[in-house]
Amino acid sequence: MIKRFLYDLSLFAPLILFFPKLMIDFFFKGKYRQSILARLYPEAIKNTKKPVIWLHGVSLGETKALSTLIPHMRKAYPQAYLFVTTVTETGYNQAQKLIPDVDAIHYLPLDFSWIIKSFVRMIQPQLLILVEGDYWYNLMREVKRGRGKIAVVNGKMSEKSLKRYHYFKSLFSFVDHFCLQGESYLERFLKLGIPPEKMTVTGNLKFDISLPEMGDLSHFRKELHLEEGDRVITLGSTHEGEEELLMRKIKPLQQKDPHLKVLLVPRHPERFARVKSLLAHYPQTVLIDKMGVLSKCYCISDLAIIGGSFVNGVGGHDIFESAKMGVPTLFGPYMYKQVDLTQLITQSGAGKMLSLEALLPTLEELLYNPHLRQEMGGKGILCGQKAMGSALRTWKEIACMLDY
């Protein structure tokens, strides 16, 4: 009881501390408008007599990853009730578009005991699947009290997280099995004292994300005012301050080449307006101000530059999506959350990690050397084909945890 009270207090203190910023973001930046009330006052969930499998992913990337497990679950247990939660609005919207074959999609409530307790009891999951982590004490405690099992899939851990979790090792005792992305992450979990028999390296679920059906993209190109002969670079999943850093490097090439166009796709929709004001200084650049079209942008591009990797503090994003589409992929040095993925892409020759200073000469080399682009793109397609199978391996590991 005391432990739970202290934990609730530890959540409440930062909420009060950051409340002014939360309100500024809510009223002036449009953030959290869908999610905040749903996380504070979750709606009632219909009772079901079906066995419940609960999948949780924090945001966009984790939601994409968990989508690869759904077909295997539906095939093995068509009678199961598949329940998905996420934290961010981008994750929630992506879940609605990407995985319609689930029974319910909700925001995960804040982990206060008086909120999460009733939420978990309404769901009564046989199995809770946490994608990549997001370890919440009250959530896991209540699932285990209800005799549910907990699995972590697509598990990973940065060196920074490892140092932090050394103080919270008890959290991992709630988890029945860990399915990890790679050997480097296995070594870090072992340092936390987790028994080896509770862990299996099954690979990265994102390798199994299927490419959407593109169809005829001529209308999409027309919407973006792209003409025949244009060379196209997509800047995907960029963050605050990153757009200007990258655009400054690209601008000299655009000044020399009127056919060089840039598609700019910020990571967070609440930043669209601010990024749009930046583009007044950068002609031949199109802001993509809607969600769900990043894959289309990659598909019509000659090169992809992946954001979240040129500014410190983010740790990188998915560099596999563009590479497996045959698009040469460039990314910055701050990829510490994507260690195994970085190794795979760089070793296969499908992409390059480079500094901001090296970006301009690398772009110049690739943009005007179609043979080199084709060679890199072919390596990306081959890499994608070889890497598949993680979802099935993961499902086989966790399916035995179910009681039906």
Side-chain angles (χ1 to χ4, degrees):
M1 181 69 73
I2 294 175
K3 187 176 181 179
R4 186 170 56 182
F5 171 77
L6 291 174
Y7 175 77
D8 285 338
L9 190 63
S10 73
L11 293 180
F12 192 69
L15 186 64
I16 295 297
L17 183 64
F18 292 104
F19 187 76
K21 184 181 184 302
L22 183 68
M23 291 297 97
I24 291 171
D25 288 344
F26 181 87
F27 287 107
F28 298 104
K29 298 181 182 179
K31 295 178 72 174
Y32 317 123
R33 290 187 178 176
Q34 295 177 35
S35 59
I36 190 167
L37 289 179
R39 299 197 68 198
L40 283 169
Y41 304 102
E43 60 183 280
I45 299 165
K46 294 180 180 178
N47 292 328
T48 176
K49 294 181 179 179
K50 295 180 180 180
V52 177
I53 302 176
W54 179 356
L55 302 98
H56 172 67
V58 177
S59 189
L60 184 67
E62 294 83 3
T63 301
K64 286 183 176 181
L66 72 83
S67 72
T68 64
L69 295 173
I70 302 299
H72 299 294
M73 292 178 176
R74 279 293 181 219
K75 183 178 180 180
Y77 299 109
Q79 76 278 22
Y81 188 92
L82 301 186
F83 183 81
V84 172
T85 55
T86 186
V87 170
T88 69
E89 293 173 5
T90 51
Y92 182 88
N93 294 334
Q94 182 68 37
Q96 289 186 312
K97 294 177 183 177
L98 190 63
I99 43 176
D101 193 24
V102 295
D103 296 284
I105 301 170
H106 285 253
Y107 287 104
L108 181 73
L110 296 178
D111 201 44
F112 292 109
S113 58
W114 61 88
I115 300 178
I116 204 73
K117 183 177 181 179
S118 59
F119 191 76
V120 172
R121 289 186 178 182
M122 282 190 289
I123 301 167
Q124 297 181 353
Q126 280 200 15
L127 176 62
L128 168 64
I129 299 172
L130 302 174
V131 182
E132 297 187 8
D134 206 31
Y135 307 100
W136 293 104
Y137 172 75
N138 282 326
L139 168 64
M140 294 191 292
R141 179 178 177 272
E142 290 300 328
V143 170
K144 298 301 288 186
R145 285 186 69 186
R147 299 187 179 183
K149 300 288 184 65
I150 299 177
V152 170
V153 302
N154 223 39
K156 64 178 186 177
M157 182 175 294
S158 67
E159 285 289 350
K160 184 178 179 180
S161 296
L162 175 61
K163 293 175 183 177
R164 182 174 70 251
Y165 280 125
H166 265 294
Y167 299 100
F168 305 101
K169 290 181 182 180
S170 61
L171 279 174
F172 299 98
S173 63
F174 290 116
V175 180
D176 296 282
H177 201 78
F178 297 82
C179 295
L180 307 179
Q181 292 183 20
E183 295 291 338
S184 63
Y185 298 121
L186 175 64
E187 293 174 8
R188 290 172 188 166
F189 278 90
L190 284 171
K191 290 178 181 177
L192 292 173
I194 298 170
E197 60 270 19
K198 291 182 68 173
M199 297 184 288
T200 310
V201 175
T202 53
N204 194 328
L205 292 176
K206 292 178 182 178
F207 295 164
D208 281 15
I209 297 172
S210 58
L211 294 173
E213 292 292 332
M214 297 297 180
D216 183 9
L217 292 174
S218 58
H219 180 67
F220 185 60
R221 289 180 62 91
K222 189 176 180 181
E223 282 182 1
L224 302 178
H225 306 290
L226 298 178
E227 300 174 359
E228 193 71 31
D230 280 345
R231 282 171 279 275
V232 181
I233 302 173
T234 288
L235 306 187
S237 299
T238 55
H239 285 253
E240 186 72 42
E242 199 168 31
E243 292 91 4
E244 189 153 18
L245 288 174
L246 294 171
M247 290 306 304
R248 282 178 181 173
K249 294 297 180 182
I250 299 172
K251 189 174 183 178
L253 286 179
Q254 289 184 306
Q255 289 173 332
K256 292 190 293 185
D257 185 353
H259 292 286
L260 178 56
K261 305 293 176 65
V262 174
L263 306 181
L264 184 51
V265 192
R267 177 72 171 181
H268 300 113
E270 65 270 11
R271 296 187 56 246
F272 287 161
R274 278 181 288 164
V275 176
K276 187 175 182 179
S277 64
L278 171 70
L279 297 191
H281 306 289
Y282 300 101
Q284 299 167 227
T285 303
V286 180
L287 173 66
I288 307 300
D289 58 357
K290 55 184 175 181
M291 302 297 292
V293 296
L294 183 56
S295 294
K296 284 186 177 182
C297 294
Y298 288 148
C299 195
I300 61 174
S301 296
D302 298 282
L303 290 174
I305 301 175
I306 311 303
S309 62
F310 289 93
V311 290
N312 202 357
V314 180
H317 287 304
D318 185 2
I319 55 177
F320 190 70
E321 181 179 8
S322 53
K324 73 179 179 181
M325 295 173 73
V327 183
T329 300
L330 307 177
F331 46 94
Y334 301 109
M335 290 289 291
Y336 54 85
K337 289 186 179 178
Q338 309 287 347
V339 177
D340 289 357
L341 195 56
T342 300
Q343 187 177 33
L344 176 72
I345 296 300
T346 53
Q347 289 183 353
S348 69
K352 290 185 177 182
M353 174 189 281
L354 38 73
S355 66
L356 198 61
E357 290 70 28
L359 183 60
L360 180 58
T362 304
L363 287 176
E364 205 157 18
E365 180 186 23
L366 287 170
L367 281 171
Y368 304 105
N369 189 334
H371 175 73
L372 186 57
R373 286 203 313 274
Q374 186 177 13
E375 184 181 5
M376 282 186 70
K379 290 176 179 177
I381 293 172
L382 183 61
C383 177
Q385 292 170 346
K386 288 182 176 180
M388 293 185 69
S390 300
L392 181 58
R393 289 192 294 272
T394 300
W395 172 241
K396 285 181 177 178
E397 285 294 329
I398 60 178
C400 61
M401 299 170 64
L402 294 165
D403 295 330
Y404 58 96

